[in-house]
């Protein structure tokens, strides 16, 4: 049975009103001279980069054939990795060589599109999906038309790690679960960077379904979209993570500074390489063994195990409140909860609320 409802948390440690990474525009943005000279709102420059000669040949082919396009007819220039040195970029610009040297994958992240400034990495990947190899990634330093849930758009400043990459899946039943694998790979990558560099551990947690939280504040988010073509699901996965930008909430480096006596900092290239190294391993487990193999690790990372929530349901002219306890995820990726009457139920977002936990539809399970 589907019941229109809304709910709120009983426990206080998860805030229902929080500063969001989305829908905020920073008051100032800094760009290198080269970036501002090359890029306008109607023009983008894409540098095509590869880890090996195979990916480099792909880059050359895409450039020769002028294959990559912007949505809405925007003007685009494509250049090769070897041409990056012809431009004067600042120290804060993405360092392709540093990323490639830290990458140890067989598929993901090996072909990279970098731009100093883009409307949206997600649009580049999704719009050119059929031209790109599976596992190709697009990253930018500044994004001014980023995409979020329900077509929300926002501007992301320097210091934020923003990238999108391609996936292809055949089983439609597990496509909704891939966002959880992506989220888990982000948290595992941050742990890995901390361990390798001797940093204090930052406890980045997952807020279902696709937000990343640190010390009660949102520091990142995941967006996965898909289209169906030739009996396969083309999935575009996007990640935004506050690494060095303290606005609009906080960032990894701000928290690291509070915990450390040194001047060490997270760098975007290291985190992105660590992400793909972790994601490739977790994704293979996910495809070959199913998400249940990863559930224990996921539940150790998310915020909701045992969380008590109040579900508000309309019963004729009355609003009835029922308390349920979150148990985990259902096989379809929604929240599994149990009521005080031991009735199991599945919680769905209603599609109308920016915060998933302010509106949902409850389906009772037999």
């Amino acid at each position: 049975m589907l019941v229109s409802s809304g709910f709120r948390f009983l426990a206080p440690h998860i805030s229902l009103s929080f500063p969001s990474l989305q829908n905020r525009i920073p008051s100032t943005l800094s760009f290198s001279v080269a970036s501002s000279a090359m890029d306008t709102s109607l023009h983008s420059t894409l540098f095509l980069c590869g880890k090996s000669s195979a990916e480099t040949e792909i880059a050359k082919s895409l450039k020769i054939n002028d294959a990559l396009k912007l949505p809405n007819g925007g003007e685009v220039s494509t250049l090769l990795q070897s041409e990056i040195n012809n431009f004067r970029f600042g120290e804060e610009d993405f360092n392709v060589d540093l990323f490639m040297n830290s990458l140890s994958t067989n598929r993901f992240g090996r072909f990279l599109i970098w731009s100093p400034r883009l409307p949206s990495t997600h649009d580049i990947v999704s719009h050119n999906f059929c031209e790109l190899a599976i596992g190709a990634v697009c990253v930018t330093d500044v994004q001014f038309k980023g995409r979020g849930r329900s077509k929300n758009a926002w501007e992301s400043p320097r210091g934020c790690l923003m990238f999108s990459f391609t996936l292809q899946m055949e089983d439609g039943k597990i496509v909704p679960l891939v966002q959880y694998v992506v989220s888990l790979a982000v948290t595992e990558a941050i742990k890995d960077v901390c361990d390798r560099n001797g940093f204090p551990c930052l406890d980045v947690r997952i807020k279902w379904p696709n937000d990343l939280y640190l010390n009660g504040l949102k520091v990142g988010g995941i967006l996965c979209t898909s289209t169906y073509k030739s009996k396969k699901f083309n999935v575009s996965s996007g990640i935004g993570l506050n690494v060095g930008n303290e606005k609009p909430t906080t960032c990894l480096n701000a928290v690291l500074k509070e915990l450390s006596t040194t001047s060490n900092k997270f760098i975007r290239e290291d985190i992105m390489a660590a992400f793909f190294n972790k994601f490739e391993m977790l994704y293979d487990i996910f495809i070959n063994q199913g998400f249940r193999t990863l559930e224990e690790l996921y539940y150790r990372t998310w915020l909701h195990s045992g969380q008590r929530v109040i579900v508000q349901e309309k019963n004729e002219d009355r609003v009835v409140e029922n308390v349920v306890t979150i148990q985990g995820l259902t096989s379809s990726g929604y929240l599994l909860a149990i009521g005080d009457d031991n009735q199991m139920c599945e919680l769905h977002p209603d599609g109308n609320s920016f915060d998933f936990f302010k509106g949902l539809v409850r389906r009772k399970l037999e």
Side-chain angles (χ1 to χ4, degrees):
M1 180 177 72
L2 291 177
V3 184
S4 176
S5 60
F7 75 91
R8 64 179 185 271
F9 285 116
L10 286 176
H13 70 274
I14 300 176
S15 173
L16 287 179
S17 60
F18 51 85
S20 172
L21 182 71
Q22 302 178 356
N23 296 332
R24 297 292 186 90
I25 300 178
S27 57
T28 59
L29 291 174
S30 60
F31 308 99
S32 67
V33 173
S35 298
S36 58
M38 287 192 305
D39 297 280
T40 69
S41 60
L42 300 178
H43 180 274
S44 295
T45 300
L46 308 178
F47 289 93
L48 312 183
C49 314
K51 184 170 176 64
S52 70
S53 58
E55 290 85 28
T56 301
E57 288 303 312
I58 293 174
K60 291 179 180 178
S61 176
L62 290 172
K63 175 179 170 60
I64 291 172
N65 295 311
D66 193 25
L68 300 183
K69 307 297 181 182
L70 289 180
N72 304 318
E75 186 178 348
V76 61
S77 299
T78 54
L79 299 171
L80 300 178
Q81 183 175 356
S82 58
E83 299 176 89
I84 291 179
N85 292 333
N86 295 337
F87 300 88
R88 294 198 311 271
F89 294 109
E91 293 182 359
E92 294 182 355
D93 291 289
F94 192 85
N95 188 320
V96 174
D97 290 334
L98 182 58
F99 165 74
M100 290 295 182
N101 290 337
S102 301
L103 188 70
S104 60
T105 61
N106 293 318
R107 289 169 293 160
F108 293 103
R110 296 178 63 89
F111 178 79
L112 179 142
I113 302 170
W114 168 64
S115 179
R117 188 171 186 264
L118 277 178
S120 164
T121 62
H122 207 85
D123 283 348
I124 292 291
V125 165
S126 59
H127 189 71
N128 297 283
F129 195 100
C130 294
E131 304 294 337
L132 300 173
I134 300 305
V137 58
C138 178
V139 62
T140 188
D141 297 318
V142 174
Q143 183 171 256
F144 57 93
K145 288 185 180 179
R147 292 178 58 187
R149 289 188 291 105
S150 302
K151 298 183 180 180
N152 291 303
W154 72 96
E155 184 163 344
S156 302
R158 283 185 171 273
C160 184
L161 174 60
M162 299 157 287
F163 65 99
S164 301
F165 67 100
T166 59
L167 282 166
Q168 197 168 65
M169 304 174 68
E170 296 182 358
D171 186 356
K173 293 180 180 179
I174 66 172
V175 169
L177 299 173
V178 75
Q179 63 182 326
Y180 306 142
V181 183
V182 174
S183 300
L184 192 55
V186 175
T187 60
E188 290 298 295
I190 294 170
K191 292 177 187 175
D192 179 63
V193 173
C194 288
D195 290 342
R196 286 190 287 107
N197 291 282
F199 294 168
C201 180
L202 299 192
D203 189 23
V204 177
R205 308 294 292 275
I206 298 169
K207 181 174 185 276
W208 184 86
N210 52 15
D211 287 335
L212 301 169
Y213 271 65
L214 177 60
N215 293 349
L217 295 174
K218 183 174 176 178
V219 293
I222 313 296
L223 173 68
C224 293
T225 61
S226 67
T227 58
Y228 187 68
K229 185 177 183 179
S230 301
K231 297 183 178 181
K232 292 185 178 180
F233 291 88
N234 295 334
V235 182
S236 301
S237 298
I239 294 94
L241 182 66
N242 293 355
V243 177
N245 55 304
E246 296 189 34
K247 302 293 183 180
T249 56
T250 188
C251 65
L252 302 186
N253 281 333
V255 177
L256 179 63
K257 185 177 180 180
E258 295 174 357
L259 298 176
S260 178
T261 57
T262 68
S263 59
N264 291 328
K265 292 183 178 181
F266 289 95
I267 56 175
R268 294 176 300 150
E269 297 86 348
D270 198 13
I271 293 177
M272 195 170 94
F275 166 81
F276 282 115
N277 295 340
K278 290 292 183 181
F279 178 77
E280 186 163 283
M281 176 189 66
L282 294 172
Y283 183 72
D284 285 344
I285 294 173
F286 170 58
I287 293 298
N288 296 321
Q289 302 177 39
F291 186 74
R292 286 195 176 277
T293 312
L294 302 174
E295 276 187 348
E296 182 180 350
L297 178 60
Y298 183 84
Y299 292 149
R300 289 203 305 266
T301 308
W302 81 336
L303 290 165
H304 309 298
S305 293
Q307 186 68 47
R308 302 266 289 174
V309 298
I310 295 177
V311 180
Q312 295 181 332
E313 301 175 338
K314 290 184 178 180
N315 186 355
E316 296 180 352
D317 295 331
R318 296 184 304 121
V319 175
V320 179
E321 293 189 344
N322 294 301
V323 177
V324 298
T325 303
I326 296 175
Q327 302 293 296
L329 295 173
T330 66
S331 59
S332 55
Y334 293 111
L335 290 175
L336 177 67
I338 186 172
D340 288 346
D341 57 358
N342 290 324
Q343 172 69 54
M344 301 297 294
C345 60
E346 185 177 64
L347 306 180
H348 297 236
D350 65 2
N352 298 318
S353 303
F354 183 79
D355 186 345
F356 269 83
F357 289 95
K358 287 185 177 179
L360 54 78
V361 173
R362 184 176 75 156
R363 182 172 71 90
K364 292 183 179 180
L365 302 176
E366 298 298 333

